[in-house]
Amino acid sequence: QVQLAESGGGVVQPGRSLRLSCAASASTFSGYALHWVRQAPGKGLEWVAVVSYDGGNKYYADSVKGRFTISRDNSKNTLYLQMNSLRAEDTAVYYCARDATYSSTWYYYFYGMDVWGQGTTVTVSS
Amino acid sequence: EIVLTQSPATLSLSPGERATLSCRASQSVGNYLAWYQHKPGQAPRLLIYDVSYRATGIPARFSGSGSGTDFTLTISSLETEDFAVYYCQQRSDRLTYSFGQGTKLEIK
C-alpha cells in the first residue's frame, strides 16, 4: 500500500522561503508522476505543480510559476516543493498526490490522482 | 487556461435520493476528466477518471458521464457517507491541471 506523508509546513513571513517534503512508503513511488495540490482556508482545491516519474519534466500553475520549484529524489522516495517569495495568498493546506498514470504513459493518459497525503499547513503572515 | 465551472454550488438532498452534479469546461478536455470527493480534515478521494471509469474500491452508485465540455457525476442513491464536497478536475494537453470550484452536497 503506497502512502504519502507531507512535512515542512509552518508559519513564515511574507517574502521568505519554505521547503515542503512528501515521503512515500513504498518503492512504487518512482514509477509515477507526483503533484502538489493546495487548499486555501474556505476555498476549493488548487493544483500547484507536477513532476514526471523521472524528474525530467515539471509543470506549474501560473500562480506559482517562477516562485515555486517541484523536485523529487527517487532514491529517497521523497517529493519536494521549494517555495520562495511567499505571499499571504499562498496560505493553504498543501497536499502531495500520486498521478495514477504509470511511467511514460503519463504524457498520453490521465487516470486521476489516486493516492494523497493528509496535508501540511503553510501560513504566510507577518 | 481551461476553466471548469461546477453547478450547483450547493445541493441539498436526502439519503436515498439521486444526486446529479455538473461540470462544464471552457474548452474541450477530451477524456481528461476526473472527479473527487473531499471531506473536512481528510485527503481528497479519487472517484472517477477518464470521464466514466470508477477508481478502485468506489461503489457502483457513483457514475460519470459526458464528453467534450459537459460532464456529470451521478450518485444513484445517496448514503449518509456521501455528503461531502465534490470536485471535477481536468488535464490540458500542456500538462497543466485545474479543478472546478466544487459542489457541496449537504443533507436536506
Side-chain angles (χ1 to χ4, degrees):
Chain A
Q1 177 77 14
V2 177
Q3 294 182 343
L4 300 172
E6 304 92 340
S7 61
V11 179
V12 61
Q13 293 179 328
R16 303 298 292 265
S17 299
L18 200 63
R19 189 177 83 157
L20 306 182
S21 299
C22 171
S25 61
S27 59
T28 51
F29 169 95
S30 62
Y32 297 87
L34 295 165
H35 301 261
W36 287 100
V37 174
R38 67 184 181 184
Q39 184 177 35
K43 303 294 185 181
L45 299 175
E46 180 188 14
W47 175 77
V48 173
V50 63
V51 59
S52 60
Y53 64 100
D54 59 359
N57 289 287
K58 306 170 184 180
Y59 302 87
Y60 298 91
D62 288 342
S63 59
V64 305
K65 197 175 297 181
R67 299 188 299 123
F68 289 13
T69 301
I70 189 171
S71 63
R72 63 190 294 164
D73 185 336
N74 286 346
S75 67
K76 296 181 178 179
N77 290 339
T78 304
L79 172 72
Y80 302 100
L81 185 68
Q82 177 67 42
M83 304 185 294
N84 298 333
S85 302
L86 282 161
R87 306 167 180 168
E89 54 264 37
D90 296 319
T91 294
V93 175
Y94 284 74
Y95 297 97
C96 58
R98 187 181 81 167
D99 197 294
T101 320
Y102 183 72
S103 189
S104 60
T105 61
W106 168 68
Y107 293 100
Y108 310 106
Y109 300 97
F110 176 50
Y111 297 151
M113 299 174 184
D114 65 339
V115 181
W116 294 68
Q118 289 299 309
T120 187
T121 301
V122 173
T123 303
V124 184
S125 173
S126 54
Chain B
E1 178 189 347
I2 298 175
V3 176
L4 298 178
T5 302
Q6 292 185 241
S7 62
T10 303
L11 186 56
S12 299
L13 293 170
S14 300
E17 291 193 292
R18 181 184 187 91
T20 303
L21 288 67
S22 175
C23 176
R24 176 165 290 178
S26 58
Q27 58 186 278
S28 177
V29 299
N31 288 338
Y32 293 162
L33 196 286
W35 290 91
Y36 299 84
Q37 178 191 70
H38 194 199
K39 297 180 180 179
Q42 297 185 17
R45 177 190 183 196
L46 176 65
L47 301 173
I48 301 287
Y49 65 92
D50 219 29
V51 178
S52 61
Y53 291 86
R54 278 189 301 277
T56 302
I58 301 304
R61 64 181 181 273
F62 290 91
S63 63
S65 62
S67 64
T69 60
D70 289 293
F71 302 91
T72 301
L73 174 70
T74 301
I75 310 172
S76 59
S77 179
L78 286 166
E79 304 279 346
T80 54
E81 62 264 29
D82 298 337
F83 292 93
V85 180
Y86 290 84
Y87 295 93
C88 57
Q89 182 200 26
Q90 66 83 29
R91 193 200 88 169
S92 75
D93 289 339
R94 291 166 46 240
L95 289 167
T96 59
Y97 301 72
S98 61
F99 290 90
Q101 83 280 15
T103 290
K104 182 180 181 180
L105 179 56
E106 64 177 24
I107 298 177
K108 187 174 182 179

